[in-house]
């Protein structure tokens, strides 16, 4: 039963990798390519968000200290 379970999981992983790396006939890009192109934008948004949170918490801490 363990070998069958491992084979099924392996086949599912293989199918998933094939799906996300398959090139779209219209754009010529895969899902992985799209994610790689969007990752820097998401990182910049995350940095802006963390800076905003840090400023909010520092302002709140200053207000509490008064």
């Amino acid at each position: 039963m363990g070998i069958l379970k491992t084979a099924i999981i392996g086949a599912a992983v293989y199918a998933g990798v094939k799906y996300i790396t398959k090139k779209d006939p219209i754009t010529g890009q895969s899902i992985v390519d799209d994610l790689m192109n969007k990752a820097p934008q998401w990182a910049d948004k995350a940095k802006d968000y963390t800076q905003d949170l840090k400023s909010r918490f520092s302002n709140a801490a200053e207000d509490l200290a008064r």
Side-chain angles (χ1 to χ4, degrees):
M1 190 61 150
I3 294 173
L4 181 62
K5 184 178 176 182
T6 303
I8 291 171
I9 292 172
V13 169
Y14 175 75
V17 169
K18 290 288 284 186
Y19 177 75
I20 64 172
T21 58
K22 182 179 177 183
K23 301 286 184 185
D24 184 22
I26 297 171
T27 62
Q29 290 189 330
S30 67
I31 295 172
V32 174
D33 294 336
D34 290 339
L35 290 174
M36 295 297 287
N37 290 337
K38 293 178 183 177
Q41 297 168 356
W42 293 339
D44 291 339
K45 286 182 183 179
K47 287 177 187 175
D48 293 341
Y49 185 70
T50 55
Q51 290 296 331
D52 182 45
L53 285 176
K54 285 180 183 179
S55 67
R56 284 185 187 183
F57 282 123
S58 67
N59 290 340
E62 290 174 3
D63 290 342
L64 289 175
R66 292 183 192 168

